[in-house]
Amino acid sequence: MAAPEPQQNMHATALVTGETGILVTGRSGSGKSALALDLLRSAAAAGRFAALVADDQVLLQAAAGRVLALAPAATAGLVEIRGSAIMTVPHLSRAVMHVVISLDPSGDQQRLPDPQDRYDLGNGIMLPLLRFRPGGGGDPLALLEAFEKGRRLR
């Protein structure tokens, strides 16, 4: 039996909507938790499965050519409402990640996902990258659905 790959701790938020694992990255205070909550609420309202994996700190592990996100035990099921509270939400202890949403308050809002954009997680692990500007007027669930539709068509 092969030894498990080492885990890497990343400042990010991980969640699942439908069958898609999403890793949200951005600097501190950029809105990762708020975006995750918006995606969870929107997905649930649309009748899709929705669950948090981890907020603020995510353990990442390569497994069989995939990226696995794991929740640190101390924060499992908890999400921060910046400056307000910490709340409990439905969660998974781990999930495969399929896409990275990078938050950049000063960046361009992506109208359509660029299928060539990738996020380098290190050690040769790359995931498709979606760029989102918080408050930019875009619908993050619509951007994610466009990514999912493109992934199914390939």
Side-chain angles (χ1 to χ4, degrees), residues 10-63:
M10 183 174 188
H11 180 78
T13 297
L15 64 145
V16 175
T17 66
E19 297 179 4
T20 302
I22 306 157
L23 187 64
V24 182
T25 66
R27 66 180 196 266
S28 185
S30 63
K32 294 179 296 295
S33 300
L35 176 62
L37 285 171
D38 284 348
L39 285 166
L40 291 170
R41 287 183 190 122
S42 296
R48 298 175 60 164
F49 174 81
L52 180 75
V53 177
D55 182 45
D56 193 46
Q57 297 296 313
V58 180
L59 301 175
L60 297 176
Q61 185 173 25

Side-chain angles (χ1 to χ4, degrees), residues 82-105:
R82 184 165 279 283
S84 170
I86 294 180
M87 67 188 261
T88 303
V89 296
H91 70 282
L92 301 170
S93 62
R94 64 185 65 215
V96 173
M97 296 290 101
H98 300 97
V99 64
V100 172
I101 296 179
S102 177
L103 297 183
D104 183 0

Side-chain angles (χ1 to χ4, degrees), residues 30-153:
S30 63
K32 294 179 296 295
S33 300
L35 176 62
L37 285 171
D38 284 348
L39 285 166
L40 291 170
R41 287 183 190 122
S42 296
R48 298 175 60 164
F49 174 81
L52 180 75
V53 177
D55 182 45
D56 193 46
Q57 297 296 313
V58 180
L59 301 175
L60 297 176
Q61 185 173 25
R66 296 176 179 231
V67 177
L68 192 61
L70 300 95
T75 59
L78 302 177
V79 64
E80 178 186 6
I81 311 300
R82 184 165 279 283
S84 170
I86 294 180
M87 67 188 261
T88 303
V89 296
H91 70 282
L92 301 170
S93 62
R94 64 185 65 215
V96 173
M97 296 290 101
H98 300 97
V99 64
V100 172
I101 296 179
S102 177
L103 297 183
D104 183 0
S106 63
D108 291 332
Q109 178 69 43
Q110 211 171 7
R111 292 183 68 163
L112 293 172
D114 180 347
Q116 304 307 315
D117 263 354
R118 295 284 182 263
Y119 189 92
D120 186 353
L121 292 164
N123 298 326
I125 300 171
M126 308 279 274
L127 285 177
L129 172 65
L130 303 177
R131 300 174 193 278
F132 188 76
R133 187 178 72 219
D139 177 359
L141 190 59
L143 180 64
L144 183 61
E145 288 172 344
F147 163 78
E148 291 170 336
K149 183 177 180 182
R151 188 174 74 183
R152 285 192 301 266
L153 293 176

